[in-house]
Amino acid sequence: MSGDHQTLALLLFSAFVAVTLGITTWVSRHRHGSAEEFYTGGRLFSPMENGFAIAGDYMSAASFLGISGLIALFGYDGMLYSVGFLVAWLVVLLLVAELVRNCGRFTLADVVAARMRERPVRIAAGTSSVAVSVLYLVAQMVGAGSLVALLLGGTSEAARAWTVIGVGALMVVYVTLGGMRATTWIQIVKAVLLMAGTLALTVLVLLRFHGDFDALLTTAAERSGHGKEFLAPGLAYGGGWTARFDFMSLGLALVLGTAGLPHILSRFYTVPTARAARRSVVWAIGLIGGFYLMTIVLGFGAAALVGTDEVRASSAAGNTAVPLLALDLGGGAGSTGGTVLFAVVAAVAFATILAVVAGITLASSASVAHDLYASLKRPGRGGKPRGEVAVARLAAAGIGAVAIALGLLARDLNVAFLVGLAFAVAASANLPVLLYSLFWRNFTTRGAVWSVYGGLVPAVLLVVFSPVVSGSPQAIFPGVDFQVFPLQNPGLVSIPLGFLAGWLGTVLSRERADEARHAESEVRSLTGAGAV
């Protein structure tokens, strides 16, 4: 890319960083240091504000860069991500949002521990939440690396590495200084920018084809090199039983995973009531639904205007399809319009990555401090241990370092695909224990612990021994082969295992469920009586 691209994109990105750091600094001067302020922003956000923040948290680099890239490469099959990510919110709205807001305080473990022995449950749920968050963070880091490689006109490993480190450092600053309040406002600003940028690109694509969506699809199919197969199912997931099972596994993970994501669940605690939590989700569904419809236009637009081969040449995983599309829509390389549009898209994508990593880091550091540290430091005693917020700030730095290291390893994988893995782990480890705790009267502590580990351990092991890590040219370690599990996404196996482990643990447990605590939790979850 030309020097103009670099300069303008970096200026716009620097402006966003300056604004968000200003928000963070302002919030840090007005905080009062309590755990409730740090984790939930004082529960003072309106449903609309929280809905925009949820949308900003959820519409990640995987959505903006990864999904459009997959559609540009694989056509119809790439749309599975758009559909799965959106349908998942119906599960959240109908089964999770209000109940979680009424039962918990800061984290997923609060909901489960309300009727169980706290220490083992908090350690299990906290471990799972950190694992999911780190996987999700890796996807954002990979997106950042891909963007900068394109921005600087090459694939310099040094440039990618320093970008990932810079994004990691910024997210730690946001979380440690501003907590949830600063993170929320950063996500709101980012959601507005992302929706505006995506809408502008969508309109430009449709104008190029005079509003004829059929012409857009026909041109995309012609330039993809696959003809009509590009618009039919099977291009990515039609190569035999393994591919078909992978399709089912990915769909299951996407639809069920959102309800188990720690950074999404933590957003329900930032509003004052359960009704506000439900209304937040309605706002979020409207914004997210519109956004994912537009990613379909952008994906096929990239295939039609840029060409599938050009997208793949720039990034084998398709992560740069949208910036390349913006360059073409603005007039092509070297044109003023192309330079401006490319720079705007690159800046918005950077903003997306920064906002999302801040939310994930905050949720995972809360799990470390509120669940793991509190349980290990002072087992069996009520109240919060002193220094919990300080531990959360330290945890943010540690989690950031781990995510940076893993992001450098996985730099050549598609970001939407990486998020699919995080969704699979969330659906395997967090969703079963959450649903059992809310709806099963006889659920016990052993069942809760077995449910978490029974989903988490198989999910992680299956990923390690899958084609994602070794045994294929696109693997993280392509030079070695210890692949045993044939599917790229473990959800089809690990999600049922999580539910099965929770049932077995409860059935085989000598402990009897505390009916009084279950009744109290049930009343609280359904009515809000006694909720924090």
Side-chain angles (χ1 to χ4, degrees):
M1 295 299 141
S2 68
D4 290 339
H5 290 90
Q6 296 179 31
T7 303
L8 188 55
L10 290 173
L11 282 174
L12 290 170
F13 175 57
S14 300
F16 177 81
V17 171
V19 169
T20 52
L21 284 176
I23 293 171
T24 305
T25 304
W26 179 79
V27 169
S28 68
R29 290 176 178 173
H30 293 80
R31 72 180 187 220
H32 46 78
S34 69
E36 186 165 346
E37 171 71 20
F38 184 77
Y39 295 143
T40 68
R43 309 185 200 279
L44 298 175
F45 293 101
S46 70
M48 186 182 75
E49 290 169 345
N50 198 42
F52 269 84
I54 290 173
D57 214 352
Y58 193 69
M59 297 184 302
S60 65
S63 303
F64 190 52
L65 302 176
I67 293 177
S68 299
L70 286 173
I71 294 173
L73 296 181
F74 301 110
Y76 182 95
D77 280 8
M79 290 196 298
L80 173 63
Y81 284 88
S82 291
V83 175
F85 281 145
L86 180 57
V87 171
W89 279 96
L90 297 178
V91 178
V92 176
L93 178 63
L94 297 175
L95 295 180
V96 173
E98 286 189 77
L99 305 184
V100 165
R101 173 62 188 84
N102 284 336
C103 286
R105 190 178 180 198
F106 300 135
T107 64
L108 165 70
D110 289 336
V111 179
V112 184
R115 47 178 295 215
M116 311 288 178
R117 285 186 286 116
E118 286 205 28
R119 192 183 188 207
V121 167
R122 286 193 181 279
I123 291 173
T127 302
S128 170
S129 295
V130 172
V132 172
S133 298
V134 168
L135 268 175
Y136 211 113
L137 281 171
V138 169
Q140 311 310 314
M141 298 300 186
V142 171
S146 296
L147 261 180
V148 165
L150 179 63
L151 182 64
L152 298 181
T155 54
S156 164
E157 295 302 322
R160 287 194 184 194
W162 282 110
T163 302
V164 169
I165 292 168
V167 170
L170 278 170
M171 76 184 183
V172 171
V173 170
Y174 291 147
V175 172
T176 54
L177 288 182
M180 178 59 85
R181 188 168 295 186
T183 298
T184 298
W185 283 110
I186 290 168
Q187 288 164 346
I188 291 171
V189 171
K190 168 255 168 160
V192 172
L193 289 174
L194 183 60
M195 289 297 290
T198 308
L199 179 61
L201 288 179
T202 301
V203 170
L204 288 173
V205 169
L206 293 176
L207 285 176
R208 183 70 67 90
F209 291 91
H210 308 290
D212 188 345
F213 194 70
D214 184 60
L216 167 62
L217 295 179
T218 302
T219 307
E222 290 172 355
R223 294 206 62 188
S224 69
H226 298 286
K228 292 183 179 179
E229 292 180 4
F230 191 69
L231 304 179
L235 195 59
Y237 298 106
W241 69 268
T242 303
R244 295 173 192 273
F245 277 118
D246 237 334
F247 178 87
M248 291 187 284
S249 188
L250 176 62
L252 195 64
L254 294 181
V255 171
L256 298 180
T258 299
L261 292 175
H263 65 290
I264 296 299
L265 295 175
S266 67
R267 291 238 54 95
F268 299 137
Y269 302 125
T270 63
V271 289
T273 64
R275 182 170 181 268
R278 184 179 70 248
R279 291 174 61 200
S280 297
V281 174
V282 173
W283 271 100
I285 288 175
L287 293 167
I288 292 166
F291 173 76
Y292 283 124
L293 286 175
M294 290 188 286
T295 61
I296 295 173
V297 176
L298 298 187
F300 283 113
L305 298 176
V306 179
T308 298
D309 291 339
E310 286 77 4
V311 170
R312 187 176 283 111
S314 173
S315 168
N319 293 330
T320 56
V322 173
L324 290 175
L325 174 63
L327 189 63
D328 185 277
L329 289 170
S335 67
T336 303
T339 299
V340 171
L341 204 53
F342 174 89
V344 169
V345 167
V348 168
F350 272 126
T352 295
I353 291 165
L354 284 177
V356 173
V357 296
I360 301 167
T361 306
L362 179 60
S364 53
S365 63
S367 291
V368 171
H370 186 64
D371 299 327
L372 298 177
Y373 172 73
S375 299
L376 296 172
K377 186 71 175 176
R378 295 176 60 180
R381 294 178 60 182
K384 301 182 295 295
R386 276 195 305 178
E388 185 179 305
V389 173
V391 172
R393 293 191 171 107
L394 289 173
I399 289 165
V402 172
I404 288 168
L406 292 176
L408 294 174
L409 277 177
R411 59 185 175 270
D412 294 324
L413 297 179
N414 180 275
V415 286
F417 169 74
L418 286 169
V419 165
L421 295 182
F423 272 59
V425 177
S428 304
N430 292 346
L431 185 64
V433 71
L434 181 61
L435 294 183
Y436 278 146
S437 298
L438 292 173
F439 299 111
W440 189 11
R441 180 181 300 275
N442 296 323
F443 197 44
T444 64
T445 301
R446 177 183 288 184
V449 173
W450 282 29
S451 181
V452 172
Y453 292 129
L456 176 64
V457 174
V460 173
L461 287 178
L462 289 175
V463 170
V464 170
F465 292 106
S466 75
V468 176
V469 175
S470 71
S472 71
Q474 295 80 31
I476 295 176
F477 302 110
V480 294
D481 186 0
F482 46 85
Q483 172 197 340
V484 177
F485 183 65
L487 304 184
Q488 293 187 330
N489 191 292
L492 194 63
V493 176
S494 58
I495 295 172
L497 283 178
F499 281 99
L500 177 63
W503 177 79
L504 276 177
T506 299
V507 170
L508 299 177
S509 175
R510 295 179 180 177
E511 170 195 3
R512 296 195 57 162
D514 190 327
E515 293 193 9
R517 292 178 73 180
H518 169 73
E520 180 184 344
S521 296
E522 189 173 40
V523 170
R524 176 183 293 183
S525 68
L526 295 175
T527 68
V532 177

